[in-house]
Amino acid sequence: MSYSRPSRGAALACCSLIALAAGVMGAAPAFAQRTVPFANGVPVAPLGLANRPLGSGPFTYPTGEGQDIRVDVLARGLQPYSIAFLPDGAMLVAERSGHLRLVRDGRLDPKEVTGGPASYFAAAPGLQGAVHGYMNVVLHPNFAQNHWIYVSYTKPVSATERRIGVFRATLNDHALTDVKDIWLGPTPSGGSTPIVFGKDGMLYVAGGGGNAQAPGTTGGKILRLKDDGSVPADNPFVGQAGYLPEIYTMGHRSSLGLAVHPVTGEIWLSENGPNGGDELNVLKPGKNYGWPLVSLGRQYPGPWQAGNAPTHEGYEPPIVYWTPAIAVAGLTFYTGDKLPKWKGDVFAGGMRTGEVNGTGKLERILFNEKMEELRRESLLVDLGQRIRDVKQGPDGLLYVATDDGALLRISPK
């Protein structure tokens, strides 16, 4: 048998294989992943793309459906969390600092709406420990007659304790009167608290954070209430031992937006996962959406939330999900004629993508007639803004609120 000395390249390849095998068998690897800083169990998000100022605009974009759009920057200097349209076309803006403001014809009214209750807020949006003062604002279905508005907010009950709640008030011009808390979470409680009126005339409220599988608590639940805060007799858990009668659905993580399907009347929820696994859910009475037992996301340190097999088996699955997460926020259905190639689409705000600051965007999702997703498109990506809310205006255009403090209007180019 003849023997030939291996070439230098073959020898190096052989050595590499031996080193790789040694690493697999337990020897120290030749390299390691970076160690990133954590705070309270969450990786500290990078700031390399953060805090990019919003330009003066207008901005123009081609879009995936062949519909060119123009984006105008309207009012600035706000701290918007949500927007609602009054019958005269003015926008009512709830600010996380605990104020209500009016925007007319794209300009901020210098007069603040007065008379609202005190609230608590802290930290810049997106930072750990951020607490929102006023959150979602909605009009009563009979607002034209009763002038009632509803606002979810963080109520200070002592120097150290806070509760989430919903107050009702009568709006007349720039003043609130007859202010009354119609629902308060337990003491203490917190978290984002979207609200919406359904076509059934009932008020749907996210019960904040907490044990989403505990039937005797409001945390991680969507609640269904009458307009005075009392419990409807036909709620799914009325009369069931151990369950709070106001619960409509359970098993939610962090609820940020509620919207009503314009045809079916179904309530849709936008829900933040951990590191990935953001969801849009269609709420069905009495159903369980699985958190924290199931998820399509990872825990912040890295492992899958649901173990080795991300799944929703045995629980209601989302109709849309994002991995990586986009920090999905407010959402709306577009039903207008001004942007005809988007008619029927769902729009959802995103505050950052893949845990990287400065990567917010507006998401557009196209569904078929069975409400099955066909395609989606990311819009306004280059602006780098945290998109907090999106609503269709009475003029058939789309309006967007950013955490940077601006209102944007999307119209045909």
Side-chain angles (χ1 to χ4, degrees), residues 84-144:
F85 283 90
L86 299 175
D88 65 0
M91 276 187 283
L92 184 61
V93 182
E95 294 189 283
R96 61 184 302 273
S97 54
H99 303 91
L100 291 173
R101 303 297 298 270
L102 291 167
V103 175
R104 302 183 187 276
D105 300 319
R107 296 181 180 179
L108 178 64
D109 190 320
K111 291 181 62 178
E112 182 183 325
V113 177
T114 60
S119 66
Y120 178 89
F121 85 107
L127 296 182
Q128 281 192 304
V131 179
H132 309 292
Y134 286 7
M135 291 177 275
N136 282 85
V137 55
V138 299
L139 309 185
H140 189 277
N142 295 323
F143 176 85

Tab-separated table of all heavy atoms in Angstrom, residues 84-144:
chain	number	residue	atom	x	y	z
A	84	ALA	N	-59.773	59.929	18.244
A	84	ALA	CA	-61.165	59.632	17.908
A	84	ALA	C	-61.714	60.827	17.156
A	84	ALA	O	-61.310	61.973	17.414
A	84	ALA	CB	-61.986	59.370	19.164
A	85	PHE	N	-62.623	60.580	16.239
A	85	PHE	CA	-63.181	61.658	15.424
A	85	PHE	C	-64.555	62.055	15.932
A	85	PHE	O	-65.426	61.207	16.158
A	85	PHE	CB	-63.260	61.233	13.959
A	85	PHE	CG	-61.947	61.261	13.256
A	85	PHE	CD1	-61.131	60.144	13.230
A	85	PHE	CD2	-61.497	62.425	12.649
A	85	PHE	CE1	-59.902	60.184	12.597
A	85	PHE	CE2	-60.266	62.472	12.019
A	85	PHE	CZ	-59.460	61.339	11.988
A	86	LEU	N	-64.741	63.365	16.112
A	86	LEU	CA	-66.032	63.912	16.493
A	86	LEU	C	-66.911	64.073	15.251
A	86	LEU	O	-66.400	64.082	14.121
A	86	LEU	CB	-65.835	65.263	17.193
A	86	LEU	CG	-65.002	65.222	18.476
A	86	LEU	CD1	-64.767	66.626	19.008
A	86	LEU	CD2	-65.685	64.364	19.532
A	87	PRO	N	-68.219	64.216	15.435
A	87	PRO	CA	-69.106	64.320	14.270
A	87	PRO	C	-68.772	65.477	13.329
A	87	PRO	O	-69.039	65.392	12.124
A	87	PRO	CB	-70.487	64.513	14.920
A	87	PRO	CG	-70.383	63.839	16.250
A	87	PRO	CD	-68.982	64.092	16.701
A	88	ASP	N	-68.175	66.553	13.854
A	88	ASP	CA	-67.831	67.687	12.991
A	88	ASP	C	-66.492	67.512	12.281
A	88	ASP	O	-66.034	68.423	11.584
A	88	ASP	CB	-67.840	68.986	13.786
A	88	ASP	CG	-66.761	69.029	14.880
A	88	ASP	OD1	-66.001	68.043	15.023
A	88	ASP	OD2	-66.675	70.049	15.587
A	89	GLY	N	-65.857	66.336	12.441
A	89	GLY	CA	-64.585	66.064	11.769
A	89	GLY	C	-63.364	66.393	12.587
A	89	GLY	O	-62.245	66.035	12.194
A	90	ALA	N	-63.530	67.069	13.730
A	90	ALA	CA	-62.384	67.363	14.588
A	90	ALA	C	-61.871	66.069	15.227
A	90	ALA	O	-62.627	65.122	15.462
A	90	ALA	CB	-62.762	68.363	15.667
A	91	MET	N	-60.577	66.047	15.490
A	91	MET	CA	-59.965	64.910	16.171
A	91	MET	C	-59.845	65.195	17.656
A	91	MET	O	-59.382	66.276	18.044
A	91	MET	CB	-58.572	64.614	15.603
A	91	MET	CG	-58.568	63.760	14.367
A	91	MET	SD	-56.876	63.306	13.879
A	91	MET	CE	-56.346	64.835	13.115
A	92	LEU	N	-60.261	64.228	18.473
A	92	LEU	CA	-60.050	64.277	19.904
A	92	LEU	C	-58.862	63.367	20.205
A	92	LEU	O	-58.884	62.180	19.876
A	92	LEU	CB	-61.306	63.799	20.629
A	92	LEU	CG	-61.320	63.865	22.150
A	92	LEU	CD1	-61.152	65.306	22.647
A	92	LEU	CD2	-62.616	63.268	22.696
A	93	VAL	N	-57.833	63.926	20.807
A	93	VAL	CA	-56.579	63.213	21.038
A	93	VAL	C	-56.390	62.999	22.531
A	93	VAL	O	-56.420	63.959	23.313
A	93	VAL	CB	-55.377	63.995	20.472
A	93	VAL	CG1	-54.079	63.219	20.681
A	93	VAL	CG2	-55.584	64.303	18.991
A	94	ALA	N	-56.223	61.740	22.927
A	94	ALA	CA	-55.883	61.421	24.313
A	94	ALA	C	-54.368	61.365	24.426
A	94	ALA	O	-53.705	60.641	23.670
A	94	ALA	CB	-56.496	60.093	24.733
A	95	GLU	N	-53.827	62.121	25.364
A	95	GLU	CA	-52.382	62.174	25.556
A	95	GLU	C	-51.976	61.337	26.763
A	95	GLU	O	-52.646	61.357	27.802
A	95	GLU	CB	-51.915	63.608	25.761
A	95	GLU	CG	-52.093	64.506	24.551
A	95	GLU	CD	-51.410	65.841	24.764
A	95	GLU	OE1	-51.958	66.682	25.498
A	95	GLU	OE2	-50.317	66.023	24.225
A	96	ARG	N	-50.845	60.659	26.612
A	96	ARG	CA	-50.372	59.813	27.703
A	96	ARG	C	-49.972	60.642	28.923
A	96	ARG	O	-49.866	60.111	30.031
A	96	ARG	CB	-49.218	58.929	27.240
A	96	ARG	CG	-47.986	59.649	26.757
A	96	ARG	CD	-46.951	58.669	26.231
A	96	ARG	NE	-46.562	57.695	27.233
A	96	ARG	CZ	-45.600	57.884	28.120
A	96	ARG	NH1	-44.942	59.041	28.152
A	96	ARG	NH2	-45.278	56.945	28.977
A	97	SER	N	-49.805	61.935	28.763
A	97	SER	CA	-49.520	62.812	29.896
A	97	SER	C	-50.770	63.142	30.697
A	97	SER	O	-50.688	63.829	31.712
A	97	SER	CB	-48.867	64.108	29.406
A	97	SER	OG	-49.677	64.722	28.414
A	98	GLY	N	-51.945	62.657	30.245
A	98	GLY	CA	-53.166	62.873	30.995
A	98	GLY	C	-53.950	64.088	30.567
A	98	GLY	O	-54.579	64.766	31.397
A	99	HIS	N	-53.953	64.377	29.266
A	99	HIS	CA	-54.695	65.517	28.734
A	99	HIS	C	-55.504	65.082	27.512
A	99	HIS	O	-55.178	64.091	26.857
A	99	HIS	CB	-53.748	66.658	28.337
A	99	HIS	CG	-52.869	67.141	29.448
A	99	HIS	ND1	-51.618	66.613	29.681
A	99	HIS	CD2	-53.068	68.083	30.397
A	99	HIS	CE1	-51.067	67.221	30.712
A	99	HIS	NE2	-51.931	68.112	31.179
A	100	LEU	N	-56.535	65.861	27.219
A	100	LEU	CA	-57.299	65.717	25.987
A	100	LEU	C	-57.135	66.989	25.181
A	100	LEU	O	-57.244	68.102	25.716
A	100	LEU	CB	-58.794	65.480	26.289
A	100	LEU	CG	-59.168	64.145	26.930
A	100	LEU	CD1	-60.639	64.155	27.325
A	100	LEU	CD2	-58.897	62.991	25.964
A	101	ARG	N	-56.854	66.805	23.886
A	101	ARG	CA	-56.674	67.948	23.003
A	101	ARG	C	-57.542	67.783	21.754
A	101	ARG	O	-57.913	66.660	21.379
A	101	ARG	CB	-55.200	68.084	22.575
A	101	ARG	CG	-54.207	68.199	23.710
A	101	ARG	CD	-54.434	69.457	24.552
A	101	ARG	NE	-54.255	70.677	23.786
A	101	ARG	CZ	-53.106	71.328	23.659
A	101	ARG	NH1	-52.013	70.838	24.229
A	101	ARG	NH2	-53.041	72.454	22.964
A	102	LEU	N	-57.836	68.885	21.102
A	102	LEU	CA	-58.612	68.891	19.868
A	102	LEU	C	-57.718	69.322	18.716
A	102	LEU	O	-56.879	70.225	18.864
A	102	LEU	CB	-59.804	69.842	19.985
A	102	LEU	CG	-60.916	69.400	20.941
A	102	LEU	CD1	-61.871	70.564	21.223
A	102	LEU	CD2	-61.679	68.221	20.361
A	103	VAL	N	-57.886	68.686	17.588
A	103	VAL	CA	-57.186	69.060	16.360
A	103	VAL	C	-58.247	69.316	15.299
A	103	VAL	O	-59.059	68.438	14.992
A	103	VAL	CB	-56.216	67.954	15.904
A	103	VAL	CG1	-55.589	68.308	14.561
A	103	VAL	CG2	-55.125	67.727	16.953
A	104	ARG	N	-58.256	70.523	14.755
A	104	ARG	CA	-59.234	70.907	13.742
A	104	ARG	C	-58.511	71.322	12.471
A	104	ARG	O	-57.584	72.120	12.509
A	104	ARG	CB	-60.118	72.065	14.232
A	104	ARG	CG	-60.884	71.764	15.517
A	104	ARG	CD	-61.783	72.927	15.908
A	104	ARG	NE	-62.396	72.725	17.213
A	104	ARG	CZ	-63.512	72.022	17.400
A	104	ARG	NH1	-64.108	71.460	16.354
A	104	ARG	NH2	-64.020	71.874	18.622
A	105	ASP	N	-58.958	70.753	11.368
A	105	ASP	CA	-58.346	71.065	10.068
A	105	ASP	C	-56.833	70.872	10.103
A	105	ASP	O	-56.076	71.645	9.488
A	105	ASP	CB	-58.689	72.501	9.637
A	105	ASP	CG	-60.190	72.711	9.502
A	105	ASP	OD1	-60.871	71.803	8.986
A	105	ASP	OD2	-60.679	73.781	9.917
A	106	GLY	N	-56.396	69.864	10.835
A	106	GLY	CA	-54.977	69.544	10.885
A	106	GLY	C	-54.164	70.395	11.825
A	106	GLY	O	-52.943	70.231	11.902
A	107	ARG	N	-54.799	71.303	12.563
A	107	ARG	CA	-54.061	72.191	13.457
A	107	ARG	C	-54.493	71.962	14.899
A	107	ARG	O	-55.680	71.796	15.184
A	107	ARG	CB	-54.312	73.654	13.068
A	107	ARG	CG	-53.785	73.992	11.676
A	107	ARG	CD	-54.036	75.443	11.342
A	107	ARG	NE	-53.525	75.774	10.008
A	107	ARG	CZ	-53.636	76.970	9.449
A	107	ARG	NH1	-54.251	77.959	10.105
A	107	ARG	NH2	-53.144	77.185	8.241
A	108	LEU	N	-53.515	72.001	15.791
A	108	LEU	CA	-53.771	71.793	17.202
A	108	LEU	C	-54.492	72.999	17.788
A	108	LEU	O	-54.024	74.135	17.682
A	108	LEU	CB	-52.454	71.555	17.938
A	108	LEU	CG	-52.541	71.363	19.453
A	108	LEU	CD1	-53.333	70.108	19.792
A	108	LEU	CD2	-51.139	71.293	20.051
A	109	ASP	N	-55.647	72.766	18.400
A	109	ASP	CA	-56.372	73.819	19.096
A	109	ASP	C	-55.563	74.216	20.332
A	109	ASP	O	-55.198	73.358	21.135
A	109	ASP	CB	-57.752	73.291	19.509
A	109	ASP	CG	-58.683	74.384	20.017
A	109	ASP	OD1	-58.207	75.284	20.742
A	109	ASP	OD2	-59.895	74.331	19.708
A	110	PRO	N	-55.264	75.495	20.484
A	110	PRO	CA	-54.425	75.895	21.639
A	110	PRO	C	-55.106	75.682	22.979
A	110	PRO	O	-54.427	75.615	24.009
A	110	PRO	CB	-54.149	77.380	21.374
A	110	PRO	CG	-55.251	77.825	20.461
A	110	PRO	CD	-55.582	76.640	19.615
A	111	LYS	N	-56.437	75.567	22.986
A	111	LYS	CA	-57.160	75.385	24.244
A	111	LYS	C	-57.246	73.898	24.583
A	111	LYS	O	-57.688	73.091	23.763
A	111	LYS	CB	-58.570	75.982	24.149
A	111	LYS	CG	-58.606	77.483	24.062
A	111	LYS	CD	-60.050	77.975	23.991
A	111	LYS	CE	-60.834	77.610	25.244
A	111	LYS	NZ	-62.231	78.140	25.187
A	112	GLU	N	-56.838	73.540	25.775
A	112	GLU	CA	-56.932	72.168	26.242
A	112	GLU	C	-58.362	71.871	26.690
A	112	GLU	O	-59.081	72.770	27.150
A	112	GLU	CB	-55.964	71.974	27.411
A	112	GLU	CG	-55.918	70.571	27.979
A	112	GLU	CD	-55.006	70.480	29.179
A	112	GLU	OE1	-53.976	71.191	29.179
A	112	GLU	OE2	-55.327	69.725	30.111
A	113	VAL	N	-58.777	70.613	26.545
A	113	VAL	CA	-60.051	70.178	27.097
A	113	VAL	C	-59.863	69.994	28.596
A	113	VAL	O	-59.011	69.206	29.032
A	113	VAL	CB	-60.533	68.866	26.444
A	113	VAL	CG1	-61.830	68.395	27.096
A	113	VAL	CG2	-60.731	69.064	24.938
A	114	THR	N	-60.632	70.697	29.400
A	114	THR	CA	-60.446	70.695	30.844
A	114	THR	C	-61.507	69.850	31.541
A	114	THR	O	-62.530	69.502	30.963
A	114	THR	CB	-60.506	72.133	31.398
A	114	THR	OG1	-61.794	72.695	31.083
A	114	THR	CG2	-59.412	72.995	30.776
A	115	GLY	N	-61.255	69.539	32.819
A	115	GLY	CA	-62.239	68.864	33.648
A	115	GLY	C	-62.011	67.383	33.826
A	115	GLY	O	-62.756	66.730	34.560
A	116	GLY	N	-61.006	66.814	33.160
A	116	GLY	CA	-60.742	65.385	33.291
A	116	GLY	C	-60.076	65.050	34.607
A	116	GLY	O	-59.472	65.908	35.262
A	117	PRO	N	-60.147	63.793	35.044
A	117	PRO	CA	-59.540	63.400	36.312
A	117	PRO	C	-58.018	63.356	36.219
A	117	PRO	O	-57.443	63.237	35.134
A	117	PRO	CB	-60.112	62.002	36.559
A	117	PRO	CG	-60.402	61.473	35.190
A	117	PRO	CD	-60.833	62.664	34.384
A	118	ALA	N	-57.379	63.431	37.381
A	118	ALA	CA	-55.920	63.319	37.437
A	118	ALA	C	-55.499	61.915	37.033
A	118	ALA	O	-56.217	60.936	37.237
A	118	ALA	CB	-55.428	63.636	38.840
A	119	SER	N	-54.317	61.819	36.426
A	119	SER	CA	-53.785	60.519	36.022
A	119	SER	C	-52.302	60.473	36.346
A	119	SER	O	-51.696	61.480	36.700
A	119	SER	CB	-54.017	60.272	34.528
A	119	SER	OG	-53.270	61.191	33.753
A	120	TYR	N	-51.738	59.289	36.180
A	120	TYR	CA	-50.315	59.098	36.452
A	120	TYR	C	-49.642	58.601	35.185
A	120	TYR	O	-50.142	57.713	34.507
A	120	TYR	CB	-50.114	58.072	37.561
A	120	TYR	CG	-48.657	57.795	37.869
A	120	TYR	CD1	-47.970	58.560	38.808
A	120	TYR	CD2	-47.962	56.787	37.210
A	120	TYR	CE1	-46.627	58.311	39.079
A	120	TYR	CE2	-46.618	56.537	37.483
A	120	TYR	CZ	-45.964	57.303	38.419
A	120	TYR	OH	-44.644	57.065	38.675
A	121	PHE	N	-48.502	59.213	34.847
A	121	PHE	CA	-47.691	58.673	33.762
A	121	PHE	C	-46.230	58.849	34.124
A	121	PHE	O	-45.867	59.707	34.926
A	121	PHE	CB	-48.025	59.332	32.429
A	121	PHE	CG	-47.305	60.632	32.158
A	121	PHE	CD1	-46.280	60.683	31.222
A	121	PHE	CD2	-47.655	61.797	32.815
A	121	PHE	CE1	-45.621	61.868	30.956
A	121	PHE	CE2	-47.004	62.988	32.557
A	121	PHE	CZ	-45.984	63.025	31.622
A	122	ALA	N	-45.393	58.002	33.530
A	122	ALA	CA	-43.972	58.041	33.854
A	122	ALA	C	-43.173	57.425	32.726
A	122	ALA	O	-43.642	56.505	32.050
A	122	ALA	CB	-43.695	57.276	35.151
A	123	ALA	N	-41.978	57.946	32.521
A	123	ALA	CA	-40.993	57.412	31.571
A	123	ALA	C	-41.417	57.628	30.129
A	123	ALA	O	-42.601	57.738	29.806
A	123	ALA	CB	-40.713	55.937	31.822
A	124	ALA	N	-40.429	57.682	29.270
A	124	ALA	CA	-40.693	57.836	27.845
A	124	ALA	C	-41.323	56.570	27.305
A	124	ALA	O	-41.024	55.468	27.775
A	124	ALA	CB	-39.389	58.140	27.103
A	125	PRO	N	-42.209	56.689	26.314
A	125	PRO	CA	-42.821	55.491	25.750
A	125	PRO	C	-41.764	54.554	25.186
A	125	PRO	O	-40.786	54.986	24.574
A	125	PRO	CB	-43.735	56.036	24.648
A	125	PRO	CG	-43.228	57.410	24.357
A	125	PRO	CD	-42.646	57.911	25.630
A	126	GLY	N	-41.970	53.260	25.423
A	126	GLY	CA	-41.027	52.269	24.938
A	126	GLY	C	-39.999	51.850	25.959
A	126	GLY	O	-39.372	50.798	25.813
A	127	LEU	N	-39.816	52.643	27.008
A	127	LEU	CA	-38.861	52.290	28.041
A	127	LEU	C	-39.520	51.413	29.096
A	127	LEU	O	-40.726	51.501	29.330
A	127	LEU	CB	-38.297	53.550	28.706
A	127	LEU	CG	-37.484	54.491	27.821
A	127	LEU	CD1	-36.961	55.660	28.643
A	127	LEU	CD2	-36.317	53.755	27.163
A	128	GLN	N	-38.722	50.556	29.724
A	128	GLN	CA	-39.244	49.768	30.830
A	128	GLN	C	-39.728	50.697	31.933
A	128	GLN	O	-39.095	51.699	32.247
A	128	GLN	CB	-38.167	48.832	31.363
A	128	GLN	CG	-37.975	47.593	30.519
A	128	GLN	CD	-37.131	46.573	31.244
A	128	GLN	OE1	-36.022	46.869	31.655
A	128	GLN	NE2	-37.643	45.377	31.398
A	129	GLY	N	-40.877	50.359	32.488
A	129	GLY	CA	-41.447	51.184	33.535
A	129	GLY	C	-42.323	52.299	33.033
A	129	GLY	O	-42.864	53.068	33.841
A	130	ALA	N	-42.494	52.417	31.716
A	130	ALA	CA	-43.370	53.455	31.185
A	130	ALA	C	-44.810	53.205	31.618
A	130	ALA	O	-45.312	52.083	31.534
A	130	ALA	CB	-43.284	53.494	29.656
A	131	VAL	N	-45.455	54.238	32.105
A	131	VAL	CA	-46.856	54.174	32.523
A	131	VAL	C	-47.607	55.284	31.781
A	131	VAL	O	-47.138	56.423	31.713
A	131	VAL	CB	-47.001	54.358	34.043
A	131	VAL	CG1	-48.474	54.318	34.450
A	131	VAL	CG2	-46.211	53.294	34.793
A	132	HIS	N	-48.765	54.949	31.243
A	132	HIS	CA	-49.527	55.902	30.447
A	132	HIS	C	-50.639	56.534	31.280
A	132	HIS	O	-51.339	55.843	32.025
A	132	HIS	CB	-50.125	55.212	29.226
A	132	HIS	CG	-49.113	54.432	28.440
A	132	HIS	ND1	-48.092	55.044	27.740
A	132	HIS	CD2	-48.947	53.111	28.261
A	132	HIS	CE1	-47.354	54.116	27.153
A	132	HIS	NE2	-47.848	52.938	27.462
A	133	GLY	N	-50.802	57.849	31.151
A	133	GLY	CA	-51.865	58.559	31.841
A	133	GLY	C	-53.204	58.286	31.181
A	133	GLY	O	-53.915	57.347	31.523
A	134	TYR	N	-53.578	59.092	30.179
A	134	TYR	CA	-54.764	58.814	29.380
A	134	TYR	C	-54.351	57.900	28.228
A	134	TYR	O	-53.313	58.099	27.595
A	134	TYR	CB	-55.369	60.089	28.825
A	134	TYR	CG	-56.100	60.955	29.845
A	134	TYR	CD1	-56.068	60.652	31.211
A	134	TYR	CD2	-56.816	62.072	29.453
A	134	TYR	CE1	-56.726	61.433	32.136
A	134	TYR	CE2	-57.486	62.866	30.362
A	134	TYR	CZ	-57.439	62.554	31.702
A	134	TYR	OH	-58.106	63.332	32.623
A	135	MET	N	-55.188	56.919	27.951
A	135	MET	CA	-54.888	55.956	26.885
A	135	MET	C	-55.939	56.063	25.776
A	135	MET	O	-55.956	57.033	25.035
A	135	MET	CB	-54.753	54.555	27.481
A	135	MET	CG	-53.496	54.410	28.352
A	135	MET	SD	-53.282	52.810	29.169
A	135	MET	CE	-54.269	53.025	30.653
A	136	ASN	N	-56.836	55.123	25.683
A	136	ASN	CA	-57.790	55.161	24.572
A	136	ASN	C	-58.985	56.049	24.884
A	136	ASN	O	-59.507	56.054	26.005
A	136	ASN	CB	-58.280	53.746	24.230
A	136	ASN	CG	-57.251	52.982	23.430
A	136	ASN	OD1	-56.355	52.382	23.991
A	136	ASN	ND2	-57.368	53.019	22.117
A	137	VAL	N	-59.426	56.783	23.867
A	137	VAL	CA	-60.628	57.597	23.965
A	137	VAL	C	-61.603	57.132	22.892
A	137	VAL	O	-61.215	56.931	21.737
A	137	VAL	CB	-60.316	59.104	23.818
A	137	VAL	CG1	-59.564	59.420	22.524
A	137	VAL	CG2	-61.593	59.929	23.896
A	138	VAL	N	-62.866	56.911	23.273
A	138	VAL	CA	-63.902	56.507	22.330
A	138	VAL	C	-65.170	57.302	22.617
A	138	VAL	O	-65.387	57.783	23.743
A	138	VAL	CB	-64.212	54.992	22.391
A	138	VAL	CG1	-62.977	54.173	22.047
A	138	VAL	CG2	-64.762	54.595	23.750
A	139	LEU	N	-66.011	57.419	21.606
A	139	LEU	CA	-67.301	58.095	21.750
A	139	LEU	C	-68.386	57.067	22.002
A	139	LEU	O	-68.343	55.952	21.470
A	139	LEU	CB	-67.646	58.883	20.482
A	139	LEU	CG	-66.600	59.840	19.910
A	139	LEU	CD1	-67.197	60.611	18.734
A	139	LEU	CD2	-66.075	60.783	20.965
A	140	HIS	N	-69.370	57.449	22.782
A	140	HIS	CA	-70.548	56.604	22.965
A	140	HIS	C	-71.266	56.472	21.617
A	140	HIS	O	-71.266	57.410	20.812
A	140	HIS	CB	-71.484	57.224	24.008
A	140	HIS	CG	-72.605	56.329	24.423
A	140	HIS	ND1	-73.771	56.223	23.683
A	140	HIS	CD2	-72.754	55.501	25.491
A	140	HIS	CE1	-74.592	55.370	24.284
A	140	HIS	NE2	-73.995	54.914	25.375
A	141	PRO	N	-71.883	55.318	21.331
A	141	PRO	CA	-72.605	55.169	20.065
A	141	PRO	C	-73.669	56.240	19.837
A	141	PRO	O	-73.969	56.584	18.682
A	141	PRO	CB	-73.232	53.771	20.185
A	141	PRO	CG	-72.328	53.033	21.122
A	141	PRO	CD	-71.853	54.049	22.106
A	142	ASN	N	-74.222	56.800	20.915
A	142	ASN	CA	-75.216	57.870	20.797
A	142	ASN	C	-74.627	59.217	21.185
A	142	ASN	O	-75.299	60.054	21.783
A	142	ASN	CB	-76.438	57.559	21.678
A	142	ASN	CG	-77.183	56.321	21.203
A	142	ASN	OD1	-77.293	56.072	20.007
A	142	ASN	ND2	-77.678	55.540	22.156
A	143	PHE	N	-73.357	59.431	20.820
A	143	PHE	CA	-72.675	60.664	21.203
A	143	PHE	C	-73.414	61.901	20.725
A	143	PHE	O	-73.449	62.926	21.431
A	143	PHE	CB	-71.251	60.666	20.642
A	143	PHE	CG	-70.498	61.949	20.904
A	143	PHE	CD1	-69.836	62.137	22.105
A	143	PHE	CD2	-70.460	62.966	19.954
A	143	PHE	CE1	-69.153	63.320	22.372
A	143	PHE	CE2	-69.782	64.153	20.206
A	143	PHE	CZ	-69.130	64.325	21.417
A	144	ALA	N	-74.016	61.856	19.551
A	144	ALA	CA	-74.705	63.028	19.025
A	144	ALA	C	-75.817	63.495	19.959
A	144	ALA	O	-76.156	64.686	19.985
A	144	ALA	CB	-75.276	62.723	17.641
